[in-house]
């Protein structure tokens, strides 16, 4: 500050100073030493060696931390690559599972449709048989009307009336039974996601 050489060392302020600094300061330091005495053999002093050691330790610690973080970047990239591969493999497993699920549900769909078709077809066959019986009764009644005597007509009517009653009962029974309900097939998709998660078999169709 005064453009003079440092000659004194102030222990109180831990700083070298010149003579003018000592004169001009109002602070009575009381702990002044000749600078030459203080700096003598400073390079071999414990303080210098300790400072060297501290710097070496700081440098070593910083290098270790930096290398650890650099290693983390490398391992992060590796884990990303591994995870990406696992995602792709999982996608393949999901696709395979969906393919199997679709195949299974499609088979169930065809089985359900075939089962209901057979039931309806069987009922249609029974109805067609009854239709043939009614047609035959109508034909017989027309013939009787044209050619039979009154006695023959009377006796034939009793027989035809019995057939009519039987067919009326047949129709009544059909209307009361569930066989006359309109059958449809629907897909129950509410639990599909749960099935995909736990892998359990899922019957996806409901006949109603």
């Amino acid at each position: 500050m005064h453009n003079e050489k440092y000659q004194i060392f102030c222990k109180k302020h831990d700083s070298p100073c010149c003579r003018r600094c000592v004169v001009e300061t109002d602070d009575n330091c009381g702990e002044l030493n000749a600078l030459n005495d203080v700096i003598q053999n400073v390079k071999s002093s414990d303080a210098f060696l300790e400072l060297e050691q501290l710097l070496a330790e700081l440098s070593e610690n910083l290098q270790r931390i930096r290398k650890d973080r650099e290693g983390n970047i490398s391992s992060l990239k590796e884990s990303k690559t591994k995870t990406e591969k696992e995602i792709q493999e999982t996608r393949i497993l999901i696709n395979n599972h969906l393919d199997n699920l679709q195949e299974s549900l499609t088979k169930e769909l065809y089985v359900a449709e075939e089962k209901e078709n057979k039931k309806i077809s069987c009922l249609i066959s029974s109805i067609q048989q009854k239709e043939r019986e009614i047609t035959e009764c109508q034909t017989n009644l027309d013939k009787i009307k044209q050619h039979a005597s009154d006695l023959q007509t009377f006796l034939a009517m009793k027989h035809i009336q019995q057939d009519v009653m039987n067919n009326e009962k047949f129709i009544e029974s059909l209307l009361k039974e569930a066989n006359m309900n309109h059958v449809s097939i629907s897909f129950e998709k509410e639990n599909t996601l749960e099935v995909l998660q736990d892998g359990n078999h899922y019957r996806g169709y409901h006949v109603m």
Side-chain angles (χ1 to χ4, degrees):
M1 184 173 63
H2 296 123
N3 294 323
E4 293 186 6
K5 291 183 179 181
Y6 291 133
Q7 296 177 335
I8 301 171
F9 182 81
C10 177
K11 287 187 176 181
K12 181 178 180 180
H13 296 96
D14 194 27
S15 174
C17 53
C18 64
R19 292 182 181 275
R20 290 184 61 184
C21 290
V22 176
V23 173
E24 292 179 1
T25 182
D26 293 332
D27 188 7
N28 185 15
C29 295
E31 296 185 31
L32 301 175
N33 294 313
L35 183 60
N36 289 335
D37 294 339
V38 174
I39 65 175
Q40 187 177 6
N41 299 322
V42 67
K43 293 182 180 180
S44 60
S45 66
D46 292 339
F48 188 88
L49 296 176
E50 183 179 356
L51 184 59
E52 275 188 324
Q53 182 64 30
L54 286 174
L55 287 172
E57 290 177 358
L58 284 173
S59 177
E60 182 180 350
N61 288 334
L62 289 172
Q63 289 181 25
R64 184 169 59 252
I65 293 172
R66 174 178 53 79
K67 289 180 180 180
D68 177 76
R69 294 299 84 203
E70 290 173 348
N72 194 180
I73 289 177
S74 178
S75 64
L76 183 64
K77 183 177 181 180
E78 292 176 359
S79 64
K80 186 267 292 183
T81 302
K82 179 182 177 182
T83 303
E84 185 177 19
K85 182 179 179 181
E86 291 174 348
I87 292 173
Q88 293 172 348
E89 292 173 349
T90 302
R91 172 64 183 271
I92 293 174
L93 291 175
I94 292 174
N95 286 343
N96 291 338
H97 182 68
L98 288 175
D99 290 340
N100 293 333
L101 182 61
Q102 179 182 359
E103 182 180 358
S104 175
L105 291 176
T106 301
K107 287 181 180 178
E108 290 183 8
L109 172 63
Y110 279 80
V111 169
E113 191 261 351
E114 183 179 2
K115 178 181 177 181
E116 295 305 317
N117 256 339
K118 286 183 178 179
K119 290 167 62 176
I120 296 173
S121 297
C122 182
L123 181 58
I124 290 174
S125 296
S126 298
I127 293 173
Q128 288 174 334
Q129 176 61 33
K130 294 299 181 181
E131 286 179 326
R132 286 192 292 270
E133 292 177 3
I134 294 299
T135 300
E136 184 179 353
C137 287
Q138 289 174 323
T139 301
N140 291 336
L141 190 62
D142 286 339
K143 290 180 180 179
I144 291 170
K145 184 178 181 180
Q146 294 177 12
H147 305 293
S149 64
D150 290 342
L151 177 60
Q152 290 174 330
T153 301
F154 178 78
L155 295 175
M157 283 178 58
K158 294 296 182 181
H159 180 72
I160 294 174
Q161 285 174 345
Q162 185 62 45
D163 290 340
V164 170
M165 289 178 58
N166 291 337
N167 279 281
E168 285 179 342
K169 290 180 180 179
F170 173 74
I171 293 175
E172 289 177 0
S173 66
L174 288 181
L175 296 177
K176 291 179 180 179
E177 293 177 1
N179 289 336
M180 287 302 296
N181 293 337
H182 188 77
V183 179
S184 63
I185 300 176
S186 61
F187 178 57
E188 296 179 341
K189 55 181 179 292
E190 288 78 8
N191 299 323
T192 302
L193 290 179
E194 294 180 8
V195 173
L196 291 177
Q197 291 173 355
D198 59 29
N200 291 332
H201 179 67
Y202 175 53
R203 189 177 187 276
Y205 294 99
H206 179 61
V207 179
M208 54 182 297

